[in-house]
Amino acid sequence: VWVSSPLTWNEISESYGNATFAVRRATAAMRAAARKAAGPAGARPAVRARRVFRWVVHHIHPAAGPALAPARQAFVDGSGNRIAVFLALLSAAHVRWQLVLARPFTDHSTLEIPNIFSFQYPLVRVQGKGGHGDWFDLNSDFARAGYVNPAFRGGTALVAGVPQDSPFLTVPAAASPLDELATDAAIQVHANGDASLTLTLHFRGPLGQEIRRTLQSVPAAQLPQIYQQVLLRNYPNATSSGGKVVGLNARDHALSIV
């Protein structure tokens, strides 16, 4: 079976750009919500985009659905593809945005043969100060301003609908304070050679969300076993004398096990 696509990267970029017209449609209710969420029209586009982003994360439960389709039903249901809702509300608020299709590779050799399926991870970019853009990742239920999936940071990205010689960008590669795990350890050595340790593990980002969901179904009587297991993974000969979970229901903060 021979499957063909547009012949050049510029044509592929243009085809993605054409596909974004459907998602720009907004109902009167969506336009009203967008104006309220985005705030004053005179504010910088990136600031208004972050406000709309927070609204979408707070009001729309992530669910399956096309990213480039009218978002009116997801808006009514409060559930659907968050990217579609975000783009629709940005358009309704007159905030200019770019759809950027990313991939987790920096090897440019695979760009020699245009392939419309090479770039599949959608990100949204809003122009910022000095030519720098704010990037938004709404591909999972963990969505926070400034957070992009680590697998795609530093990777190549194709900009949809940008008529230029090279329609590619590089996804910012900066580390995020929301990444994975941070550890604090306070150790006190006693005269007899024994040591007391207070170990605190801060689980952040998608990992923190996953562990939070798991712990919410664990009975309180089983928590001492969890503390012992966590301790043994870091200190094989240690014995737990207790513990606590901090931030179990605070989804906007790290989940900490002390």
Side-chain angles (χ1 to χ4, degrees):
V1 177
W2 179 268
V3 180
S4 64
S5 70
L7 299 180
T8 68
W9 283 116
N10 276 331
E11 289 175 334
I12 292 175
S13 169
E14 183 180 0
S15 68
Y16 275 127
N18 291 338
T20 65
F21 284 111
V23 82
R24 298 174 188 268
R25 301 172 189 166
T27 63
M30 294 169 71
R31 289 191 291 271
R35 288 192 297 268
K36 184 176 180 180
R44 290 189 293 113
V47 172
R48 303 186 76 219
R50 285 194 291 272
R51 291 171 178 164
V52 174
F53 178 85
R54 287 193 293 269
W55 188 96
V56 171
V57 170
H58 181 72
H59 289 87
I60 306 298
H61 179 76
L68 296 179
R72 52 183 176 268
Q73 194 60 51
F75 179 84
V76 172
D77 296 343
S79 176
N81 191 302
R82 282 174 162 178
I83 295 174
V85 179
F86 184 48
L87 295 181
L89 293 185
L90 286 180
S91 297
H94 303 292
V95 176
R96 297 183 63 182
W97 50 265
Q98 291 178 321
L99 175 69
V100 181
L101 287 306
R103 63 173 194 165
F105 307 112
T106 57
D107 177 13
H108 292 281
S109 64
T110 55
L111 301 181
E112 295 176 5
I113 302 176
N115 180 350
I116 200 168
F117 301 109
S118 297
F119 296 85
Q120 292 291 306
Y121 194 83
L123 299 169
V124 180
R125 180 176 182 266
V126 174
Q127 194 69 28
K129 266 189 174 181
H132 300 290
D134 275 32
W135 295 69
F136 300 91
D137 185 345
L138 281 157
N139 289 286
S140 69
D141 60 350
F142 182 85
R144 301 291 185 276
Y147 182 84
V148 174
N149 187 317
F152 294 89
R153 295 179 203 158
T156 310
L158 174 69
V159 184
V162 177
Q164 56 189 32
D165 293 336
S166 179
F168 296 107
L169 290 174
T170 299
V171 180
S176 169
L178 294 171
D179 286 340
E180 298 305 319
L181 172 66
T183 304
D184 295 327
I187 303 175
Q188 181 181 4
V189 179
H190 305 294
N192 63 357
D194 293 337
S196 299
L197 164 70
T198 300
L199 177 67
T200 305
L201 303 179
H202 306 281
F203 298 96
R204 305 177 296 197
L207 176 63
Q209 290 291 79
E210 180 181 347
I211 294 176
R212 178 176 282 111
R213 284 193 294 266
T214 300
L215 288 179
Q216 285 174 338
S217 63
V218 174
Q222 294 183 13
L223 287 177
Q225 300 175 32
I226 300 292
Y227 302 143
Q228 181 65 39
Q229 291 170 8
V230 169
L231 187 60
L232 289 177
R233 290 192 63 177
N234 293 273
Y235 298 90
N237 297 319
T239 300
S240 172
S241 60
K244 63 180 178 179
V245 178
V246 180
L248 184 60
N249 297 308
R251 60 186 302 270
D252 290 326
H253 297 82
L255 173 77
S256 300
I257 297 179
V258 184

